Amino acid sequence: MRKNTEDILMASEILRKASSLLVLTGAGVSAESNIPTFRGDNGLWNKYNPEDLVSVDGFRRNPALVWEWHCSMRKLAMSSNPNAGHFAIAQLEREFFCDGNFLLITQNIDDLHRRAGSENIAEIHGNIFYERCTKCAFRRRSEVIYDDVPRCPQCGSILRPDVVFFGEPLPEMEIAKSFSFAQKTDCILVVGTSGVVYPAAQIPYIVIEHGGKVIEVNKEETPLTKYADVHISGESGTILPEIVKTIR
Ligand code: BJW
Ligand code: ZN
């Protein structure tokens, strides 16, 4: 039997027995929707400097540049579609885990999980289609591609994308929900993340601490791989639908 086939069978067996499931995704799950990942050979951080584009100081120095970058991400997300991996995750929630027993934590800001039909989602790094005021509580959904830095209609201050820059705390409700689910779930499925950005990277270890199972799907090995019960090497758009098919 091929190594991957064995691993897929093992993953399906774990999922069949699990009464709850936490899924943690990163940029790799959207790679087959043509949205580039951050790290690795073709990663965005090879071409661009995160200090300029996704940091508080970068935004203070040059909000126009940060907006230009985030508008290009908005455009890219709008012209992309969810892939088979996103749909398989939505199917896991819909068909195999009842209310309250499933949570999808995504580090992605591209909205593709929601468009694929996932419902219980914690977007811990924000969402590219939301923007908020840097001074007051104003926040809105927007698909506008701006030429200039947008201003708050309530107080006139600069608006910013509602995403989490380096050095900023994650949204309180989302992270509380995520950590509390991690503390009680039987199983976590970790897909397409390099596992180097905290606090997201810590989540699988919370599951491990209380004896929960870890399934990892990634094209490459990560710092988590040696702790995973099953590591399935490959593209999530191929592997996840195979896992779902095998659970039945
Ligand atoms: C496939 C595939 C396919 C490819 N199929 N797989 C030193 C030590 C520890 C921590 C720190 C430290 N110094 C600073 C920190 C904290 C910092 C951090 O973790 N930094 C590390 C990089 C060192 N974290 C933060 O700053 C966070 N905030 C924080 O800690 O706040 C504390 C605080 C508390 C109270 C008050 C104040 C502060 C915030 C982190 C924000 C991250 N933001 C970004 C950008 C947001 C979006 C935007 O604006 O555009 O989020 S950075 C970027 O990295 C993005 C991602 O969500 C995140 C994670 O990346 P991800 O998803 O894992 O992608 P990649 O590219 O890394 O990996 C892709 C993977 O997919 C690879 O493994 C491939 O193999 C795989 N793959 N194709 C399956 N088809
Ligand atoms: Zn305002």
Side-chain angles (χ1 to χ4, degrees):
M1 215 186 315
R2 265 173 59 224
K3 169 85 173 72
N4 255 359
T5 314
E6 266 173 49
D7 292 337
I8 288 169
L9 284 172
M10 268 175 78
S12 304
E13 190 58 24
I14 292 173
L15 289 168
R16 206 176 292 123
K17 288 184 186 150
S19 54
S20 62
L21 175 65
L22 180 58
V23 180
L24 170 65
T25 64
V29 81
S30 294
E32 291 151 87
S33 297
N34 293 322
I35 298 185
T37 60
F38 294 94
R39 297 165 187 84
D41 289 345
N42 297 317
L44 291 165
W45 297 160
N46 268 340
K47 284 193 234 147
Y48 306 100
N49 182 357
E51 285 296 317
D52 292 334
L53 302 174
V54 294
S55 80
V56 183
D57 285 345
F59 186 71
R60 213 173 282 137
R61 276 195 305 270
N62 194 345
L65 178 73
V66 173
W67 262 113
E68 191 186 321
W69 153 268
H70 283 91
C71 280
S72 71
M73 288 292 138
R74 230 177 227 185
K75 234 185 196 167
L76 185 59
M78 280 192 288
S79 63
S80 304
N81 288 308
N83 65 56
H86 296 103
F87 287 116
I89 291 169
Q91 203 175 349
L92 279 172
E93 176 176 12
R94 207 170 43 241
E95 291 184 21
F96 299 99
F97 293 92
C98 32
D99 280 352
N101 290 323
F102 181 96
L103 177 66
L104 166 60
I105 303 173
T106 187
Q107 298 168 83
N108 300 347
I109 59 171
D110 56 28
D111 223 18
L112 292 185
H113 282 301
R114 191 168 288 106
R115 285 173 56 197
S118 286
E119 283 181 8
N120 198 11
I121 312 176
E123 290 177 312
I124 59 173
H125 290 165
N127 183 307
I128 191 65
F129 296 108
Y130 282 83
E131 54 206 26
R132 64 180 160 90
C133 183
T134 50
K135 288 269 158 59
C136 75
F138 181 78
R139 181 178 183 264
R140 69 180 170 203
R141 190 175 162 91
S142 168
E143 295 186 359
V144 177
I145 307 300
Y146 296 109
D147 290 328
D148 299 310
V149 175
R151 297 238 162 216
C152 175
Q154 275 176 13
C155 76
S157 302
I158 288 178
L159 292 180
R160 56 163 284 176
D162 197 5
V163 297
V164 182
F165 294 148
F166 278 118
E168 288 189 312
L170 277 63
E172 213 172 298
M173 294 267 285
E174 309 289 285
I175 205 70
K177 185 160 86 168
S178 302
F179 275 64
S180 113
F181 202 96
Q183 274 150 13
K184 61 170 201 216
T185 190
D186 289 355
C187 176
I188 183 167
L189 170 62
V190 183
V191 187
T193 176
S194 56
V196 297
V197 176
Y198 283 80
Q202 199 186 328
I203 292 168
Y205 299 95
I206 299 173
V207 178
I208 292 170
E209 238 166 56
H210 69 77
K213 301 278 187 201
V214 178
I215 303 166
E216 183 183 52
V217 176
N218 199 304
K219 268 168 72 169
E220 288 166 15
E221 295 203 349
T222 73
L224 179 69
T225 304
K226 61 174 179 287
Y227 302 100
D229 294 277
V230 190
H231 168 88
I232 307 169
S233 174
E235 300 196 323
S236 47
T238 308
I239 304 291
L240 293 175
E242 284 185 30
I243 294 178
V244 170
K245 204 169 63 191
T246 319
I247 302 177
R248 291 211 185 93

